Amino acid sequence: LSTTVSERAQVLVAVLRKFRLPTTTNLLDMAQRVVTQFPPNLSGADFSAIASAAMMNSLQRLSTEAEEEVISSVTSSLDTVLDSWSDDRLTPVVTEDDLLVAAKDIVPSITQRDLDRYEKLRMEFNGTKQGQGS
């Protein structure tokens, strides 16, 4: 379980590494900003769920843009619009907002009680390791 902002950001970076982000975005910087908005008791699976939901938000935005282009062009069909888009244009881009919106719906798989128990065990284990070095 990652507890510090840095550790949590590294988990999010790992989950997002294959996603396309805005070209001006530094993945680690964005991850560090975003995880401060997340609940503290998220597991790696929760981070994956947030990333998947963020991708869905991105795909929904892309779909809406295509539909709006069809509506604004009376003679175009959805197929015509999508055929006119480049591969780059067709690739969803996950934004910081996509992640923040996705995180609002996440229900952490680790309870606060579990988190407290984990912290207690971690402190006991670290105390035992420090005592062994004396």
Side-chain angles (χ1 to χ4, degrees), residues 39 41-43 45-47 49-50 102-111:
N41 50 333
L42 297 179
S43 68
D46 295 331
F47 280 100
I50 290 170
K104 288 180 182 177
D105 294 330
I106 194 75
V107 176
S109 59
I110 300 171
T111 66

Side-chain angles (χ1 to χ4, degrees), residues 53-64:
M55 177 58 79
M56 289 303 298
N57 293 339
S58 177
L59 287 166
Q60 181 63 45
R61 185 174 53 256
L62 201 58
S63 174
T64 300

Side-chain angles (χ1 to χ4, degrees), residues 74-96:
V74 180
T75 59
S76 290
S77 68
L78 183 58
D79 286 339
T80 305
V81 168
L82 294 178
D83 286 342
S84 72
W85 285 8
S86 67
D87 287 344
D88 190 57
R89 177 73 176 95
L90 288 167
T91 305
V93 177
V94 175
T95 66
E96 193 168 323

Side-chain angles (χ1 to χ4, degrees), residues 124-134:
E124 287 175 9
F125 179 75
N126 286 342
T128 302
K129 283 183 73 174
Q130 290 171 356
Q132 289 176 351
S134 301

Side-chain angles (χ1 to χ4, degrees), residues 29-45:
D29 290 345
M30 181 186 72
Q32 288 174 334
R33 282 191 308 275
V34 169
V35 297
T36 62
Q37 307 291 320
F38 291 178
N41 50 333
L42 297 179
S43 68

Side-chain angles (χ1 to χ4, degrees), residues 3-24:
T3 55
T4 68
V5 169
S6 178
E7 290 171 340
R8 292 160 46 90
Q10 287 297 329
V11 171
L12 187 58
V13 164
V15 170
L16 295 175
R17 72 182 177 278
K18 294 190 178 186
F19 286 24
R20 183 168 171 216
L21 305 171
T23 55
T24 59

